[in-house]
Every structure is written in C-alpha cells, then in structure tokens.
Amino acid sequence: MIKKIIEYLKIIIDKLYSDRSTVKHKKKLLHTILKNDLTATLKDNEQEILFGCGCFWGAEKGFWRLPGVISTAVGYAGGEKENPSYKEVCSGLTGHTEVVRVVWNNNEIDLSDLLKLFWECHDPTQGNRQGNDSGSQYRSSIYTTNQHQLSKAIESKNSYQKELKNNGFGEITTEIKNDIKFYFAEDYHQQYLAKPGSRPYCSAMPTKVIFKGFNGANFKLNEKIWTYYNWEISHCILRGENTPIESNLQ
Ligand code: MHO
C-alpha cells in the first residue's frame, strides 16, 4: 500500500516537473506536417523529452517521421540565457545547445524507440561538435523530464557505449540531465526542412553502429520502421519524405 502511494506521488511530482520544463510559447503554433499545436498541454498518455544531436533542422525531421510522435519543435536548452535568439546561441556564448523537443504517445511508441533513433542519428562522441558544425551549441544532449526517463537514458548510454567501443569509437560525450528548460526557436526554424525554399542542410554524422537495446528497453515500433533510416546512405534523413512513416507496416 505504502509502495503504491509512493509510486503515485512520484508520478504527480514528475508531472509537475514536466509541466515546468517547457517555457510556453505565447501563441498557438501548428506543426507544418503533423498539424498539432506545438504549444499544447500534454495529455495523460503523452510525454516530452529534449534531444540535442547537432544542427536541429535534420534532427527534428528524423523524429517527426516516427509513428506515435505527436509533435516536434526545435529550440535551445542547457544554457544560461533566458529566451535566447538563434544569433545569440550561434555565438556559442549562451551555453545552450540546439535541441528537438519530442512529444509522444506512450501507447504507440516507447522512449526506447526514440533513444534508438537518437543514438543512431548522430555521432555522440564528438564533444562540442557535430560534423561540420562546431561549438558548444552543437553538443550532444538528452534532457529528460522525469526520473524514469533519466534512468532509461543513462541505461541506454551505457549499453550504446559498449557497442561504440566494440566498433572503435571513443567515449560518449552526451550531456544527460533532468528538468532543463526549453526555449522555442524562432518560427522559421520549426520544421525548417519541410518549408519551401529551405536549404537542404544536415551535418549529422551517424556512426552506423546499430543500437540494439538496453536493460529495461521496451520497444514498441515495428522493426521495419528502421529500414527508413539507412545510415549507409549519407544524409538519409535529408533525402527521405517529410511525411510520417506508416505505423502498420507488415
Ligand atoms: N552551419 C549551419 C548550421 C545551421 S543550424 C540550424 C548554418 O550555418 O546554416 O545550426
């Protein structure tokens, strides 16, 4: 009984924290592809997390295509300055890193699936750099919104570290922290690659090392989804369609 009450209290505390972690945008903003409001309050079956994997344009597209993702948005997190601008973050002086905020439906996709894409879509051993882009604003990061997510993120890192080592890569430099504030980037950066006239730019350097899983993983997606992310093809996310991948692949 006491255990149950403690569990329940933990959920409530997590909820309070997750509501605080996102600075609300002043106005409603629809996702260019998924058509959901980027500023909507989370429903009971929804969760949010922030992923930094270099330039946020390509990273965001990788996540919005996953079935079960409700919305994605790009922004800045992990630094000091409140409400920073793109220009300020680019200077590398605000301490922020470019991140993608992912909101997902827990019944359709698990954090494990998102972590798989996160680890595979960039090289998490590059420190303050991702490919062509250098500076602390391009560092790899996972900013969780509750303790449960935090421990999964850490477990997944430990497991992927072994895979990377076996393949000749060094230490993971990904910053993993809980309860970090998110600031929305300017509107023109949101779903940038789906907008007319956008520059097809992506500097992510996937290691091509497959993320197999970790202690406590609970993948929910059909494995065929991953054929849409072929790391052998350079800049595969850039080349792919903008539309979400069908969830009922046979
Ligand atoms: N090197 C790229 C980075 C774009 S990204 C949104 C550029 O200067 O356009 O950081």
Side-chain angles (χ1 to χ4, degrees), residues 56-141:
F56 51 28
W57 292 337
E60 186 190 18
K61 178 171 166 182
F63 285 105
W64 86 54
R65 296 203 65 204
L66 283 179
V69 166
I70 307 280
S71 75
T72 55
V74 295
Y76 316 113
E80 301 302 323
K81 190 162 194 309
E82 284 189 30
N83 290 313
S85 67
Y86 179 60
K87 215 172 151 195
E88 287 168 329
V89 173
C90 278
S91 74
L93 298 175
T94 66
H96 289 295
T97 184
E98 293 192 8
V99 292
V100 182
R101 174 179 180 251
V102 181
V103 176
W104 74 94
N105 178 347
N106 233 0
N107 302 325
E108 291 179 26
I109 181 171
D110 190 74
L111 176 56
S112 320
D113 301 290
L114 299 169
L115 286 166
K116 178 174 169 65
L117 179 59
F118 169 77
W119 291 116
E120 290 184 6
C121 78
H122 72 306
D123 179 350
T125 69
Q126 295 193 350
N128 286 333
R129 181 169 76 86
Q130 188 57 220
N132 286 332
D133 294 325
S134 58
S136 59
Q137 69 273 31
Y138 295 111
R139 69 185 182 274
S140 171
S141 64

Side-chain angles (χ1 to χ4, degrees), residues 166-177:
N166 291 340
N167 285 278
F169 287 88
E171 295 296 320
I172 289 179
T173 54
T174 306
E175 180 171 87
I176 303 182
K177 289 184 177 167

Side-chain angles (χ1 to χ4, degrees), residues 29-36 38 60 64 71-72 191:
L29 195 60
L30 288 194
H31 194 283
T32 312
I33 300 292
L34 304 173
K35 307 295 179 204
N36 289 325
L38 304 187
E60 186 190 18
W64 86 54
S71 75
T72 55
Q191 299 85 58

